[in-house]
Amino acid sequence: MTNTPASPGTATDDQDATAEEVAGVEVGERRISIPGMTEEGENLAAETNSASDHSHGGVGESEKKPLTSGVGSRANRHTGFDLADFPEPKGREEEWRFTPIKKLAGVLSDAASDADAVEQQVSAPDAVTVSSLAEGAAPRHSVLQPADRAAVVAVKNAGEALHVSVPADAEIDEPVRVQITGQDAARRENSHIVLETGVNSKAVFVLEHRGTAQFNGNVETIVGEGADVRVISLQRWEDDAVHVGQHDAEVGKDASYKHVAVSLGGAVIRLNTNFRYAAEGAEAEMYGLYFADSGQHIEHRTFVDHNSPRNTSNVLYKGALQGESARTVWVGDVLIRAEAEGTDSYEKNQNLILTDGARADSVPNLEIETGVIEGAGHASSTGRFDENHLFYLMARGIPEREARQLVVRGFLHEIIQTIGVDSIEESLAEDLENELEIAGF
């Protein structure tokens, strides 16, 4: 990459012309250099931008938008509120090729909620306002952009949305808890939750799912300027529950946002977790923990949309699998748009296979449309126990079974400790002990 020349009249003889700044972002020789990139982004030939019949690229993209950002670009992925734009998937589409479509028939059909399908309870301090929003009432749909059939079906059929609002400058010490308890595996629930935080506020939201149901739930989070917000979504369903959902957030200027997804129960779990930025200076993170047993399908998809300059993001998902036909999927997308100069972004997924017959699919995707960034990267790993770790522990007198337990605990504890709520961290530690008992550890 060539150096950017200094603008006339902006550099003196004493200045280092190789380390100037453009719009507050350091450029020149010390700037991050990305092979194949220019300041205008990646220079792709036209033929590499088109998807062939045998590729996965382009499937599910909007036909109304031209391909400008490469094969299968998230910039071109269709979003909208018209159900006709999202036909029932066949399983061959890029968005659905990892998913057991037949098991999701109950939540992908255009149907209203069943009576008493779930029981919903909200526990919040007095400073927090809990109300409902009718269809079309602000701020509902101000953040959420349905990106697949499940999300738009929930939007159409959810009825009134739960609205939880934290006022400006409020610091809520206790977590705001939303308990969702399914009543019947055959009953269907379409859910919509709006979490709103004011300027310079601080709050933790806990969404906990228990019981059993066919659950289709959307969550949109509005993070005010300078706010500090955590959203913790716990999937602790019974073995026959089905849960699909989309969680969207827009992070305000100089705000801090963290989303933690923990999926332990349910027959099929598929969550799309996404965020974008309202302005610069924000920090946003996504963490995930999952433990799949025999017959379970747990799928997480993440999307970080760097749509404004000088923001940071970090994504880390970790999972363990045990038992015949245990299946997990993680698909992580990061898009750094041309206007997002000064971005610093990283995503990683790690999977630990505990027994034969389990399978983990991991697909990290990174798109960069500008070369003027602080840094960007992604990583993925899937494997069995590190024998060196086991040898180290056993050489110090620790029995093999206990040594294996220690390795798994240490592997997953990194995610648990990001939650920051003692009672939840302790209960999750107990859940993991139960999972290890099932594995015979």
Side-chain angles (χ1 to χ4, degrees), residues 44-324:
L44 296 176
E47 57 268 21
T48 66
N49 265 345
S50 59
S52 69
D53 292 338
H54 300 287
S55 75
H56 294 297
V59 179
E61 294 170 352
S62 171
E63 296 179 358
K64 301 176 183 178
K65 300 179 182 178
L67 278 171
T68 59
S69 300
V71 174
S73 172
R74 282 302 299 250
N76 303 316
R77 194 77 58 86
H78 179 70
T79 61
F81 293 87
D82 188 349
L83 185 59
D85 292 339
F86 297 92
E88 292 196 25
K90 305 298 183 182
R92 296 186 297 272
E93 303 86 349
E94 172 64 20
E95 186 72 13
W96 297 98
R97 65 189 179 99
F98 294 113
T99 309
I101 298 298
K102 292 182 180 180
K103 294 182 180 181
L104 297 184
V107 289
L108 295 180
S109 61
D110 182 14
S113 299
D114 295 320
D116 301 321
V118 303
E119 180 181 315
Q120 182 172 275
Q121 295 180 329
V122 183
S123 174
D126 293 339
V128 178
T129 300
V130 180
S131 60
S132 60
L133 295 171
E135 177 64 37
R140 187 174 181 179
H141 304 328
S142 62
V143 170
L144 187 79
Q145 299 178 351
D148 64 15
R149 180 176 176 87
V152 75
V153 162
V155 165
K156 180 180 178 184
N157 296 288
E160 290 193 336
L162 173 66
H163 182 209
V164 183
S165 179
V166 177
D169 300 313
E171 291 194 14
I172 309 302
D173 295 329
E174 293 296 320
V176 179
R177 296 178 180 267
V178 180
Q179 182 77 40
I180 298 170
T181 307
Q183 304 299 304
D184 191 323
R187 294 183 188 177
R188 159 79 170 276
E189 174 69 12
N190 304 291
S191 172
H192 196 111
I193 298 175
V194 180
L195 308 176
E196 183 178 13
T197 56
V199 175
N200 296 324
S201 61
K202 184 176 182 179
V204 177
F205 299 96
V206 179
L207 312 176
E208 185 165 12
H209 307 85
R210 289 187 179 272
T212 185
Q214 301 281 313
F215 187 78
N216 188 349
N218 290 335
V219 178
E220 53 185 322
T221 305
I222 305 163
V223 183
E225 180 177 334
D228 183 351
V229 177
R230 273 178 287 162
V231 176
I232 303 162
S233 182
L234 307 175
Q235 287 64 246
R236 289 167 145 170
W237 296 103
E238 299 296 331
D239 291 341
D240 54 356
V242 173
H243 181 178
V244 296
Q246 181 172 322
H247 294 193
D248 279 12
E250 185 173 73
V251 188
K253 178 179 173 63
D254 298 325
S256 175
Y257 172 71
K258 180 187 294 184
H259 185 283
V260 184
V262 178
S263 297
L264 300 177
V268 180
I269 305 292
R270 177 185 151 112
L271 288 183
N272 285 312
T273 308
N274 319 301
F275 62 72
R276 61 182 184 271
Y277 301 88
E280 63 184 354
E283 298 180 358
E285 301 169 292
M286 282 191 281
Y287 295 97
L289 182 155
Y290 46 90
F291 203 124
D293 295 320
S294 181
Q296 273 189 297
H297 178 99
I298 299 178
E299 182 171 341
H300 289 276
R301 292 172 175 263
T302 63
F303 176 37
V304 178
D305 187 354
H306 278 281
N307 59 332
S308 61
R310 289 173 289 281
N311 291 308
T312 66
S313 69
N314 184 56
V315 178
L316 176 61
Y317 273 64
K318 286 189 167 189
L321 301 84
Q322 64 183 358
E324 185 71 27

Side-chain angles (χ1 to χ4, degrees), residues 401-418:
R401 178 173 177 175
E402 186 176 344
R404 290 181 178 273
Q405 290 177 339
L406 288 172
V407 171
V408 177
R409 290 194 200 104
F411 176 73
L412 298 176
H413 184 70
E414 183 179 2
I415 303 300
I416 293 178
Q417 67 184 4
T418 66

